[in-house]
Coordinates of all heavy atoms in Angstrom, one line a residue:
D781 N 58.0 -60.1 49.4 CA 59.3 -60.2 50.2 C 60.3 -60.9 49.3 O 60.1 -61.4 48.3 CB 59.0 -60.9 51.5 CG 58.7 -62.3 51.4 OD1 58.5 -62.9 50.3 OD2 58.6 -63.0 52.5
A782 N 61.6 -60.9 49.8 CA 62.7 -61.5 49.1 C 62.5 -62.9 48.8 O 62.9 -63.4 47.7 CB 64.0 -61.2 49.8
E783 N 62.0 -63.7 49.7 CA 61.8 -65.1 49.5 C 60.8 -65.4 48.4 O 61.0 -66.3 47.6 CB 61.3 -65.8 50.8 CG 61.2 -67.3 50.7 CD 60.8 -67.9 52.0 OE1 61.1 -67.4 53.1 OE2 60.2 -69.0 52.0
S784 N 59.7 -64.6 48.4 CA 58.7 -64.8 47.3 C 59.3 -64.5 45.9 O 59.0 -65.1 45.0 CB 57.5 -63.9 47.6 OG 56.8 -64.3 48.8
R785 N 60.1 -63.4 45.9 CA 60.7 -63.0 44.6 C 61.6 -64.1 44.1 O 61.7 -64.4 42.9 CB 61.4 -61.7 44.7 CG 60.5 -60.5 44.8 CD 61.2 -59.1 44.6 NE 62.3 -58.9 45.6 CZ 62.1 -58.4 46.8 NH1 60.9 -58.1 47.2 NH2 63.1 -58.3 47.6
Q786 N 62.4 -64.7 45.1 CA 63.3 -65.7 44.7 C 62.6 -67.0 44.2 O 63.0 -67.6 43.3 CB 64.2 -66.0 45.9 CG 65.5 -66.8 45.6 CD 66.4 -66.0 44.6 OE1 66.5 -64.8 44.6 NE2 67.0 -66.8 43.7
Q787 N 61.5 -67.3 44.8 CA 60.7 -68.4 44.4 C 60.1 -68.2 43.0 O 60.1 -69.1 42.2 CB 59.6 -68.7 45.4 CG 58.9 -70.0 45.2 CD 57.9 -70.3 46.3 OE1 57.5 -69.5 47.1 NE2 57.5 -71.6 46.3
A788 N 59.6 -67.0 42.8 CA 59.1 -66.7 41.5 C 60.1 -66.8 40.4 O 59.9 -67.3 39.3 CB 58.5 -65.2 41.5
L789 N 61.3 -66.3 40.7 CA 62.5 -66.4 39.8 C 62.8 -67.9 39.5 O 63.0 -68.3 38.3 CB 63.7 -65.7 40.3 CG 65.0 -65.8 39.5 CD1 64.8 -65.3 38.1 CD2 66.1 -65.1 40.2
S790 N 62.8 -68.7 40.5 CA 63.1 -70.1 40.3 C 62.0 -70.8 39.4 O 62.4 -71.5 38.5 CB 63.1 -70.8 41.7 OG 63.3 -72.2 41.6
H791 N 60.8 -70.5 39.6 CA 59.7 -71.0 38.8 C 59.8 -70.5 37.3 O 59.7 -71.3 36.4 CB 58.3 -70.7 39.3 CG 58.0 -71.4 40.6 ND1 58.1 -72.8 40.7 CD2 57.7 -70.9 41.8 CE1 57.7 -73.1 42.0 NE2 57.5 -72.0 42.6
A792 N 60.2 -69.2 37.2 CA 60.3 -68.7 35.8 C 61.5 -69.3 35.1 O 61.4 -69.6 33.9 CB 60.5 -67.2 35.9
R793 N 62.6 -69.6 35.8 CA 63.7 -70.3 35.2 C 63.4 -71.7 34.8 O 63.8 -72.2 33.7 CB 64.9 -70.3 36.2 CG 65.6 -69.0 36.2 CD 66.9 -69.1 37.1 NE 67.7 -67.9 36.9 CZ 68.5 -67.4 37.8 NH1 68.5 -68.0 39.1 NH2 69.3 -66.4 37.6
E794 N 62.6 -72.4 35.6 CA 62.2 -73.7 35.3 C 61.4 -73.8 34.1 O 61.5 -74.6 33.2 CB 61.4 -74.3 36.5 CG 61.0 -75.8 36.4 CD 60.3 -76.3 37.6 OE1 60.3 -75.7 38.6 OE2 59.7 -77.4 37.4
S795 N 60.4 -72.8 34.0 CA 59.6 -72.7 32.8 C 60.5 -72.4 31.5 O 60.3 -73.0 30.5 CB 58.6 -71.6 33.0 OG 57.8 -71.4 31.8
M796 N 61.4 -71.5 31.7 CA 62.3 -71.1 30.6 C 63.0 -72.3 30.1 O 63.1 -72.6 28.9 CB 63.3 -70.0 31.0 CG 64.2 -69.6 29.9 SD 65.5 -68.5 30.6 CE 66.4 -69.7 31.7
E797 N 63.6 -73.1 31.0 CA 64.3 -74.3 30.5 C 63.5 -75.3 29.9 O 63.9 -76.0 28.9 CB 65.1 -74.9 31.7 CG 66.2 -74.0 32.2 CD 67.2 -73.6 31.1 OE1 67.5 -74.4 30.2 OE2 67.7 -72.5 31.1
A798 N 62.2 -75.5 30.4 CA 61.3 -76.4 29.7 C 61.0 -76.0 28.3 O 61.0 -76.8 27.3 CB 60.0 -76.6 30.5
Y799 N 60.7 -74.7 28.1 CA 60.4 -74.2 26.8 C 61.7 -74.2 25.9 O 61.6 -74.4 24.7 CB 59.9 -72.8 26.8 CG 58.4 -72.7 27.2 CD1 58.0 -72.0 28.2 CD2 57.5 -73.4 26.4 CE1 56.6 -72.0 28.6 CE2 56.1 -73.4 26.7 CZ 55.7 -72.7 27.8 OH 54.4 -72.6 28.1
R800 N 62.9 -74.1 26.5 CA 64.1 -74.2 25.7 C 64.2 -75.6 25.1 O 64.6 -75.8 23.9 CB 65.3 -73.8 26.5 CG 66.6 -73.6 25.7 CD 67.8 -73.3 26.6 NE 67.7 -72.1 27.4 CZ 67.8 -70.8 26.9 NH1 68.0 -70.7 25.7 NH2 67.7 -69.8 27.7
Q801 N 63.9 -76.6 25.9 CA 64.0 -78.0 25.4 C 62.9 -78.2 24.4 O 63.2 -78.9 23.3 CB 63.8 -79.0 26.6 CG 65.0 -79.0 27.5 CD 64.7 -79.9 28.7 OE1 63.7 -80.6 28.8 NE2 65.6 -79.8 29.7
L802 N 61.7 -77.8 24.6 CA 60.6 -78.0 23.6 C 60.9 -77.2 22.3 O 60.7 -77.8 21.2 CB 59.3 -77.5 24.2 CG 58.7 -78.3 25.4 CD1 57.7 -77.5 26.1 CD2 58.2 -79.6 24.8
A803 N 61.5 -76.0 22.4 CA 61.8 -75.3 21.2 C 62.9 -75.9 20.4 O 63.0 -75.7 19.2 CB 62.1 -73.8 21.6
A804 N 63.8 -76.6 21.1 CA 64.9 -77.3 20.4 C 64.4 -78.3 19.4 O 64.9 -78.5 18.3 CB 65.9 -77.9 21.4
S805 N 63.3 -79.0 19.8 CA 62.8 -80.1 19.0 C 61.6 -79.6 18.1 O 61.4 -80.2 17.1 CB 62.3 -81.3 19.9 OG 61.3 -80.9 20.7
Q806 N 60.9 -78.6 18.5 CA 59.7 -78.1 17.8 C 59.7 -76.6 17.8 O 58.8 -76.0 18.4 CB 58.4 -78.7 18.3 CG 58.3 -80.2 18.3 CD 57.0 -80.7 18.9 OE1 56.0 -80.0 18.9 NE2 57.1 -81.9 19.3
P807 N 60.6 -75.9 17.1 CA 60.8 -74.5 17.2 C 59.5 -73.7 16.7 O 59.1 -72.7 17.4 CB 61.9 -74.1 16.3 CG 62.3 -75.4 15.5 CD 61.6 -76.5 16.2
A808 N 58.8 -74.2 15.7 CA 57.6 -73.5 15.2 C 56.6 -73.4 16.3 O 55.9 -72.4 16.4 CB 57.1 -74.1 14.0
A809 N 56.5 -74.4 17.1 CA 55.4 -74.5 18.1 C 55.8 -73.8 19.4 O 55.0 -73.2 20.1 CB 55.1 -76.0 18.4
Y810 N 57.1 -73.8 19.7 CA 57.5 -73.3 21.1 C 58.5 -72.1 21.2 O 58.7 -71.6 22.3 CB 58.1 -74.5 21.9 CG 57.1 -75.6 22.1 CD1 57.2 -76.8 21.4 CD2 56.1 -75.4 23.0 CE1 56.2 -77.8 21.7 CE2 55.1 -76.3 23.3 CZ 55.2 -77.5 22.6 OH 54.2 -78.5 22.8
L811 N 59.0 -71.6 20.1 CA 59.8 -70.4 20.1 C 59.1 -69.2 20.7 O 59.7 -68.5 21.5 CB 60.4 -70.1 18.8 CG 61.7 -70.7 18.4 CD1 62.2 -70.3 17.0 CD2 62.8 -70.4 19.5
P812 N 57.8 -69.0 20.4 CA 57.1 -67.9 21.0 C 57.1 -68.0 22.5 O 57.3 -67.0 23.2 CB 55.7 -67.9 20.4 CG 55.9 -68.6 19.1 CD 57.0 -69.6 19.3
D813 N 56.8 -69.2 23.0 CA 56.7 -69.4 24.5 C 58.1 -69.2 25.1 O 58.2 -68.7 26.2 CB 56.1 -70.8 24.8 CG 54.7 -70.9 24.3 OD1 53.9 -69.9 24.6 OD2 54.3 -71.9 23.8
L814 N 59.1 -69.7 24.4 CA 60.5 -69.5 24.9 C 60.8 -68.0 25.1 O 61.3 -67.6 26.1 CB 61.5 -70.2 24.1 CG 63.0 -70.0 24.4 CD1 63.3 -70.4 25.9 CD2 63.9 -70.6 23.4
A815 N 60.5 -67.2 24.0 CA 60.7 -65.8 24.1 C 60.0 -65.1 25.2 O 60.6 -64.3 26.0 CB 60.3 -65.2 22.8
K816 N 58.8 -65.5 25.5 CA 58.0 -64.9 26.6 C 58.7 -65.3 27.9 O 58.8 -64.5 28.8 CB 56.6 -65.4 26.6 CG 55.7 -64.8 25.5 CD 54.3 -65.4 25.5 CE 53.6 -65.0 24.2 NZ 52.3 -65.7 24.1
S817 N 59.1 -66.6 28.1 CA 59.6 -67.0 29.3 C 61.0 -66.4 29.6 O 61.4 -66.1 30.7 CB 59.6 -68.5 29.5 OG 60.5 -69.1 28.8
L818 N 61.8 -66.2 28.5 CA 63.1 -65.5 28.6 C 62.8 -64.0 29.1 O 63.5 -63.6 30.0 CB 63.8 -65.4 27.3 CG 64.5 -66.7 26.8 CD1 64.7 -66.6 25.3 CD2 65.7 -66.9 27.5
N819 N 61.8 -63.4 28.6 CA 61.5 -62.1 29.1 C 61.0 -62.1 30.5 O 61.4 -61.2 31.3 CB 60.4 -61.5 28.2 CG 60.2 -60.0 28.4 OD1 61.2 -59.3 28.3 ND2 59.0 -59.6 28.6
N820 N 60.2 -63.1 30.9 CA 59.8 -63.2 32.3 C 61.0 -63.3 33.2 O 61.0 -62.7 34.3 CB 58.8 -64.4 32.5 CG 57.5 -64.1 31.9 OD1 57.1 -63.0 31.7 ND2 56.8 -65.2 31.7
V821 N 61.9 -64.2 32.9 CA 63.1 -64.4 33.7 C 63.9 -63.0 33.8 O 64.3 -62.7 34.9 CB 64.0 -65.5 33.2 CG1 65.4 -65.5 33.9 CG2 63.3 -66.8 33.4
A822 N 64.0 -62.4 32.7 CA 64.7 -61.1 32.7 C 64.1 -60.1 33.6 O 64.7 -59.4 34.4 CB 64.8 -60.5 31.3
N823 N 62.7 -60.0 33.6 CA 62.0 -59.1 34.5 C 62.2 -59.5 36.0 O 62.4 -58.6 36.8 CB 60.5 -59.1 34.2 CG 60.2 -58.4 32.8 OD1 61.0 -57.6 32.4 ND2 59.1 -58.8 32.2
H824 N 62.2 -60.8 36.3 CA 62.4 -61.2 37.7 C 63.8 -60.9 38.1 O 64.0 -60.5 39.3 CB 62.1 -62.7 37.8 CG 60.6 -63.0 37.8 ND1 59.8 -62.7 38.8 CD2 59.9 -63.8 36.9 CE1 58.6 -63.1 38.5 NE2 58.6 -63.8 37.4
L825 N 64.8 -61.1 37.3 CA 66.2 -60.8 37.6 C 66.4 -59.3 37.8 O 67.0 -58.9 38.8 CB 67.1 -61.3 36.5 CG 67.4 -62.8 36.5 CD1 68.0 -63.3 35.2 CD2 68.2 -63.2 37.7
A826 N 65.8 -58.5 37.0 CA 65.9 -57.1 37.1 C 65.3 -56.6 38.4 O 65.9 -55.6 39.0 CB 65.2 -56.4 35.9
E827 N 64.3 -57.2 38.9 CA 63.7 -56.9 40.2 C 64.6 -57.1 41.4 O 64.5 -56.6 42.4 CB 62.4 -57.6 40.4 CG 61.3 -57.1 39.5 CD 60.0 -58.0 39.6 OE1 60.0 -59.0 40.4 OE2 59.0 -57.7 39.0
Q828 N 65.6 -58.0 41.2 CA 66.5 -58.4 42.3 C 67.4 -57.2 42.7 O 67.7 -57.0 43.8 CB 67.4 -59.5 41.9 CG 66.7 -60.8 41.5 CD 66.0 -61.5 42.7 OE1 66.6 -61.5 43.8 NE2 64.8 -61.9 42.5
G829 N 67.7 -56.3 41.7 CA 68.4 -55.1 42.0 C 69.9 -55.1 42.0 O 70.5 -54.0 41.9
D830 N 70.5 -56.2 42.2 CA 72.0 -56.2 42.3 C 72.6 -56.2 40.9 O 71.9 -56.6 39.9 CB 72.5 -57.4 43.2 CG 72.1 -58.7 42.6 OD1 70.9 -59.1 42.8 OD2 73.0 -59.3 41.9
A831 N 73.8 -55.9 40.8 CA 74.5 -55.7 39.5 C 74.6 -57.0 38.8 O 74.3 -57.1 37.5 CB 75.9 -55.2 39.7
E832 N 74.9 -58.1 39.4 CA 75.0 -59.4 38.7 C 73.6 -59.8 38.2 O 73.5 -60.3 37.0 CB 75.5 -60.5 39.7 CG 75.6 -61.9 39.1 CD 76.4 -62.0 37.8 OE1 77.3 -61.2 37.6 OE2 76.2 -62.9 37.0
S833 N 72.5 -59.6 38.9 CA 71.2 -60.0 38.5 C 70.8 -59.1 37.3 O 70.2 -59.6 36.3 CB 70.2 -59.8 39.6 OG 70.4 -60.8 40.6
R834 N 71.1 -57.9 37.3 CA 70.8 -57.0 36.2 C 71.6 -57.4 34.9 O 71.1 -57.3 33.8 CB 71.1 -55.5 36.5 CG 70.1 -55.0 37.5 CD 70.2 -53.4 37.6 NE 71.5 -53.0 38.0 CZ 72.0 -52.7 39.2 NH1 71.2 -52.9 40.2 NH2 73.2 -52.3 39.4
R835 N 72.9 -57.8 35.1 CA 73.7 -58.3 34.0 C 73.0 -59.5 33.4 O 72.9 -59.7 32.2 CB 75.1 -58.6 34.4 CG 76.0 -59.0 33.3 CD 77.4 -59.5 33.8 NE 77.2 -60.8 34.5 CZ 77.0 -62.0 33.9 NH1 76.8 -62.1 32.6 NH2 76.9 -63.0 34.6
Q836 N 72.6 -60.5 34.2 CA 71.9 -61.7 33.7 C 70.6 -61.3 33.1 O 70.3 -61.9 32.0 CB 71.7 -62.6 34.9 CG 72.9 -63.3 35.4 CD 72.6 -64.2 36.6 OE1 71.5 -64.7 36.7 NE2 73.6 -64.4 37.5
A837 N 69.9 -60.4 33.6 CA 68.6 -59.9 33.1 C 68.8 -59.4 31.6 O 68.0 -59.7 30.7 CB 68.0 -58.8 33.9
L838 N 69.8 -58.6 31.5 CA 70.1 -58.1 30.1 C 70.4 -59.2 29.1 O 69.9 -59.1 28.0 CB 71.3 -57.1 30.2 CG 71.7 -56.4 28.9 CD1 70.5 -55.6 28.3 CD2 72.9 -55.5 29.2
G839 N 71.1 -60.2 29.5 CA 71.4 -61.3 28.6 C 70.1 -62.1 28.2 O 70.0 -62.4 27.0
H840 N 69.2 -62.3 29.2 CA 68.0 -63.0 28.8 C 67.1 -62.1 28.0 O 66.4 -62.5 27.1 CB 67.2 -63.4 30.1 CG 67.9 -64.5 30.8 ND1 68.1 -65.8 30.3 CD2 68.5 -64.6 32.1 CE1 68.7 -66.5 31.2 NE2 68.9 -65.8 32.3
A841 N 67.1 -60.8 28.3 CA 66.3 -59.8 27.5 C 66.8 -59.8 26.0 O 66.0 -59.8 25.1 CB 66.3 -58.4 28.1
R842 N 68.1 -59.8 25.9 CA 68.7 -59.8 24.5 C 68.3 -61.1 23.8 O 68.0 -61.1 22.6 CB 70.2 -59.7 24.6 CG 70.6 -58.3 24.8 CD 72.1 -58.2 24.9 NE 72.5 -56.8 25.0 CZ 73.6 -56.4 25.6 NH1 74.5 -57.3 26.1 NH2 73.9 -55.1 25.7
E843 N 68.4 -62.2 24.5 CA 68.0 -63.5 23.8 C 66.5 -63.5 23.4 O 66.2 -64.0 22.4 CB 68.3 -64.7 24.7 CG 68.1 -66.0 24.1 CD 68.4 -67.2 25.0 OE1 69.0 -67.0 26.1 OE2 68.1 -68.3 24.5
A844 N 65.7 -62.9 24.3 CA 64.2 -62.8 24.0 C 64.1 -62.0 22.7 O 63.3 -62.3 21.8 CB 63.5 -62.3 25.2
M845 N 64.8 -60.8 22.7 CA 64.6 -59.9 21.6 C 65.1 -60.6 20.3 O 64.5 -60.5 19.2 CB 65.4 -58.7 21.8 CG 65.2 -57.6 20.9 SD 65.9 -56.1 21.6 CE 65.7 -55.0 20.2
D846 N 66.2 -61.3 20.3 CA 66.7 -62.0 19.2 C 65.7 -63.1 18.7 O 65.5 -63.2 17.5 CB 68.1 -62.7 19.5 CG 69.2 -61.7 19.6 OD1 69.1 -60.6 19.2 OD2 70.2 -62.2 20.2
T847 N 65.1 -63.7 19.6 CA 64.1 -64.8 19.3 C 62.9 -64.1 18.6 O 62.4 -64.6 17.6 CB 63.7 -65.6 20.5 OG1 64.8 -66.1 21.1 CG2 62.7 -66.7 20.2
Y848 N 62.4 -63.0 19.2 CA 61.3 -62.2 18.6 C 61.7 -61.7 17.2 O 60.8 -61.7 16.3 CB 60.8 -61.1 19.5 CG 59.9 -61.6 20.6 CD1 60.2 -61.2 21.9 CD2 58.8 -62.3 20.3 CE1 59.4 -61.6 23.0 CE2 57.9 -62.7 21.4 CZ 58.2 -62.4 22.7 OH 57.4 -62.8 23.7
R849 N 62.9 -61.3 17.0 CA 63.3 -60.9 15.7 C 63.2 -62.0 14.7 O 62.8 -61.8 13.5 CB 64.8 -60.4 15.7 CG 64.9 -58.9 16.2 CD 66.3 -58.4 15.9 NE 66.5 -57.1 16.4 CZ 67.3 -56.8 17.4 NH1 68.1 -57.7 18.0 NH2 67.3 -55.5 17.8
Q850 N 63.7 -63.2 15.1 CA 63.6 -64.3 14.2 C 62.2 -64.7 13.9 O 61.8 -64.9 12.7 CB 64.3 -65.5 15.0 CG 64.2 -66.8 14.2 CD 64.8 -68.0 15.1 OE1 65.4 -67.8 16.1 NE2 64.5 -69.2 14.7
L851 N 61.3 -64.6 14.9 CA 59.9 -64.9 14.7 C 59.2 -63.8 13.8 O 58.5 -64.1 12.9 CB 59.1 -65.0 16.0 CG 59.5 -66.2 16.8 CD1 59.0 -66.0 18.3 CD2 58.9 -67.5 16.3
A852 N 59.6 -62.6 14.0 CA 59.0 -61.5 13.2 C 59.5 -61.5 11.8 O 58.7 -61.0 10.9 CB 59.3 -60.1 13.9
A853 N 60.6 -62.0 11.5 CA 61.2 -62.1 10.2 C 60.3 -63.0 9.3 O 60.0 -62.7 8.1 CB 62.6 -62.6 10.1
S854 N 59.7 -64.1 9.9 CA 58.9 -65.0 9.1 C 57.4 -64.7 9.3 O 56.6 -65.1 8.4 CB 59.2 -66.4 9.5 OG 58.9 -66.6 10.9
Q855 N 57.0 -64.1 10.4 CA 55.6 -63.8 10.6 C 55.4 -62.4 11.2 O 55.1 -62.3 12.4 CB 55.0 -64.8 11.5 CG 55.0 -66.2 10.9 CD 54.4 -67.2 11.9 OE1 53.6 -66.9 12.7 NE2 54.9 -68.4 11.9
P856 N 55.7 -61.3 10.5 CA 55.7 -60.0 11.0 C 54.4 -59.6 11.7 O 54.4 -58.9 12.7 CB 56.1 -59.1 9.9 CG 56.0 -59.9 8.6 CD 56.0 -61.3 9.0
A857 N 53.3 -59.9 11.1 CA 52.0 -59.5 11.7 C 51.8 -60.1 13.1 O 51.2 -59.4 13.9 CB 50.9 -59.8 10.7
A858 N 52.3 -61.3 13.2 CA 52.1 -61.9 14.5 C 53.1 -61.5 15.6 O 52.7 -61.4 16.8 CB 52.1 -63.4 14.3
Y859 N 54.3 -61.2 15.2 CA 55.4 -61.0 16.2 C 56.0 -59.7 16.3 O 56.8 -59.4 17.2 CB 56.4 -62.1 16.0 CG 55.9 -63.5 16.3 CD1 55.6 -64.4 15.3 CD2 55.5 -63.8 17.6 CE1 55.1 -65.6 15.5 CE2 54.9 -65.1 17.8 CZ 54.7 -65.9 16.8 OH 54.1 -67.2 17.0
L860 N 55.8 -58.8 15.3 CA 56.3 -57.4 15.5 C 55.8 -56.7 16.7 O 56.6 -56.0 17.4 CB 56.0 -56.6 14.2 CG 57.1 -56.7 13.1 CD1 56.6 -55.9 11.9 CD2 58.4 -56.3 13.5
P861 N 54.6 -56.9 17.1 CA 54.2 -56.2 18.4 C 54.9 -56.7 19.6 O 55.3 -56.0 20.5 CB 52.7 -56.6 18.5 CG 52.2 -56.8 17.1 CD 53.4 -57.5 16.4
D862 N 55.2 -58.0 19.6 CA 56.0 -58.6 20.7 C 57.4 -58.0 20.7 O 58.0 -57.8 21.8 CB 56.0 -60.1 20.7 CG 54.7 -60.7 21.0 OD1 53.9 -60.2 21.9 OD2 54.3 -61.7 20.3
L863 N 58.0 -57.9 19.5 CA 59.4 -57.4 19.4 C 59.4 -55.9 19.9 O 60.3 -55.5 20.5 CB 59.8 -57.5 17.9 CG 61.2 -56.9 17.6 CD1 62.3 -57.6 18.5 CD2 61.5 -57.1 16.1
A864 N 58.3 -55.2 19.5 CA 58.3 -53.8 19.9 C 58.2 -53.6 21.4 O 58.7 -52.6 22.0 CB 57.1 -53.1 19.3
K865 N 57.6 -54.6 22.1 CA 57.5 -54.5 23.6 C 58.9 -54.6 24.2 O 59.2 -54.1 25.2 CB 56.7 -55.6 24.2 CG 55.2 -55.4 23.9 CD 54.4 -56.6 24.4 CE 53.0 -56.7 23.9 NZ 52.3 -57.8 24.3

């Protein structure tokens, strides 16, 4: 239901912000987790269905993709599969 989806989105955003803070101080350790959580938030937003949520989803998906590109540049074997997804 809508309330459950909204709660899931809230938790995903909270996780994303925590990983954003962690990645700021320790990027090697936490950038992969940040990229995953950005993608999770994008997926939850896309499920909302309205135009504004889809616009926000696209922004988070682009940031996730940019992060995976950065990771794949230094460790292609580890992160090219994630970038491809």
Side-chain angles (χ1 to χ4, degrees):
D781 69 354
E783 184 177 333
S784 295
R785 285 191 306 273
Q786 197 60 34
Q787 188 174 18
L789 174 59
S790 177
H791 291 303
R793 281 184 167 151
E794 185 178 344
S795 175
M796 178 189 68
E797 290 307 322
Y799 280 124
R800 193 181 298 283
Q801 290 176 11
L802 290 164
S805 62
Q806 297 178 26
Y810 294 107
L811 270 180
D813 295 316
L814 174 59
K816 287 177 194 172
S817 75
L818 284 161
N819 193 53
N820 287 339
V821 170
N823 289 336
H824 285 294
L825 283 165
E827 290 174 359
Q828 300 293 316
D830 62 280
E832 177 59 23
S833 293
R834 287 192 308 265
R835 186 190 64 74
Q836 289 178 25
L838 183 57
H840 289 297
R842 283 182 176 150
E843 186 178 353
M845 192 167 170
D846 290 344
T847 303
Y848 280 126
R849 277 191 184 116
Q850 177 184 347
L851 291 163
S854 62
Q855 298 177 30
Y859 296 108
L860 272 177
D862 293 321
L863 178 58
K865 291 178 194 173

